[in-house]
């Protein structure tokens, strides 16, 4: 049994695509996989959310996909719940759900909302608190743009302060025409993390029919794939 949390250095860095990639590769290897989204925001009833996108890309379907709360406003879970007057997910309830699933699945992926310290409820619990409660490593999804090094450094520092383990950095969307800042990030992010990148997924991977192949090639061995940085640096 393995539990992995997927967090980003911010919004729109590719957390859902990375979650789907890890799930797709693990499922193709014959592992039983469950995906949990503690809170979906910016999504009304009847609309496809992040777990639906993970299912579309990975081939997983209910009951392997779990969304625990949903709010229509594109805010932090705590703010979105407050605005619509609905209860926010409690940390203990999310921990209990993940632990129950981990007893039945070989891999449980938990996708956060935004960054590591985004508040889920009025008591202030964050994905960092969930990682600490579960003693689970965190996949950090970052971008290859100007400003990424600072955002990634802050995330890594927050994890170190809490003794949280990293499952590796993944660039969630590698542009088709990388500029100088992008190419420098490919070199500088591993130095910042103190270890090689755990993967790089190409821009637009979610719309490609060969998503499984992209996932396998884009994830490193720690996440079940065979990513080689030389494919991007060579």
């Amino acid at each position: 049994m393995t539990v992995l949390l997927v967090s980003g250095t911010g919004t729109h860095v590719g957390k859902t695509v990375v979650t789907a990639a890890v799930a797709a590769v693990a499922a193709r290897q014959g592992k039983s996989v469950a995906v949990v989204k503690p809170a979906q925001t910016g999504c009304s009833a009847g609309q496809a959310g992040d777990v639906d996108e993970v299912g579309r890309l990975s081939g997983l379907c209910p009951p392997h996909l779990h969304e625990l709360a949903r709010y229509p406003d594109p805010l932090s879970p705590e703010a979105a719940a407050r605005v619509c007057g609905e209860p926010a997910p409690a940390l203990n309830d999310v921990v209990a759900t993940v632990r129950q699933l981990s007893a039945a699945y070989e891999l449980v992926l938990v996708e956060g909302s935004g960054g590591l310290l985004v508040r889920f409820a009025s008591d202030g619990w964050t994905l960092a608190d969930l990682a600490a409660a579960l003693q689970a490593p965190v996949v950090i999804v970052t971008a290859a743009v100007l400003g990424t090094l600072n955002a990634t450094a802050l995330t890594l520092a927050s994890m170190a302060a809490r003794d949280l383990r990293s499952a590796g950095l993944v660039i969630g969307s590698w542009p088709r025409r990388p500029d100088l800042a992008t190419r420098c990030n490919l070199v500088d992010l591993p130095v910042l993390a103190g270890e090689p990148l755990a993967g790089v997924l190409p821009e637009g991977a979610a719309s490609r029919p060969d998503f499984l192949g992209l996932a396998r090639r884009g994830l490193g061995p720690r996440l079940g794939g065979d990513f080689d940085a030389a494919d991007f640096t060579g």
Side-chain angles (χ1 to χ4, degrees):
M1 175 276 297
T2 300
V3 176
L4 289 177
L5 277 65
V6 182
S7 185
T9 54
T11 58
H12 306 300
V13 294
K15 292 189 306 298
T16 299
V17 174
V18 172
T19 301
V22 177
V25 170
R28 185 60 177 264
Q29 293 171 344
K31 294 180 181 178
S32 57
V33 183
V35 177
V36 179
K37 182 81 173 182
Q40 171 74 61
T41 65
C43 193
S44 300
Q47 292 181 313
D50 290 341
V51 292
D52 301 298
E53 179 71 348
V54 171
R56 182 184 73 82
L57 293 171
S58 67
L60 297 178
C61 58
H64 308 291
L65 306 172
H66 303 264
E67 179 186 279
L68 306 187
R70 172 177 288 215
Y71 311 105
D73 296 297
L75 305 167
S76 70
E78 184 272 332
R82 184 178 69 246
V83 166
C84 67
E86 294 185 8
L91 176 59
N92 288 343
D93 291 341
V94 178
V95 169
T97 296
V98 175
R99 284 179 173 161
Q100 182 178 19
L101 289 169
S102 69
Y105 290 87
E106 293 172 277
L107 174 64
V108 179
L109 294 165
V110 182
E111 183 188 337
S113 299
L116 189 71
L117 301 183
V118 168
R119 290 162 59 98
F120 276 79
S122 58
D123 62 2
W125 78 266
T126 67
L127 199 73
D129 296 310
L130 181 60
L134 293 168
Q135 290 292 289
V138 181
V139 178
I140 306 164
V141 184
T142 188
V145 295
L146 193 64
T148 288
L149 293 180
N150 184 69
T152 304
L154 289 172
T155 299
L156 290 169
S158 296
M159 291 179 60
R162 293 165 173 78
D163 291 324
L164 299 180
R165 292 176 292 143
S166 169
L169 293 182
V170 177
I171 296 176
S173 182
W174 180 261
R176 293 181 178 87
R177 296 180 179 85
D179 58 16
L180 179 59
T182 301
R183 295 194 301 272
C184 286
N185 283 331
L186 195 65
V187 175
D188 295 334
L189 282 169
V191 174
L192 190 65
E195 61 185 24
L197 289 173
V200 176
L201 293 179
E203 183 180 53
S207 62
R208 295 269 296 271
D210 58 339
F211 178 77
L212 178 61
L214 293 174
R216 191 186 68 252
R217 294 190 299 273
L219 298 177
R222 294 177 66 183
L223 298 176
D226 51 20
F227 163 72
D228 186 349
D231 294 339
F232 295 85
T233 58

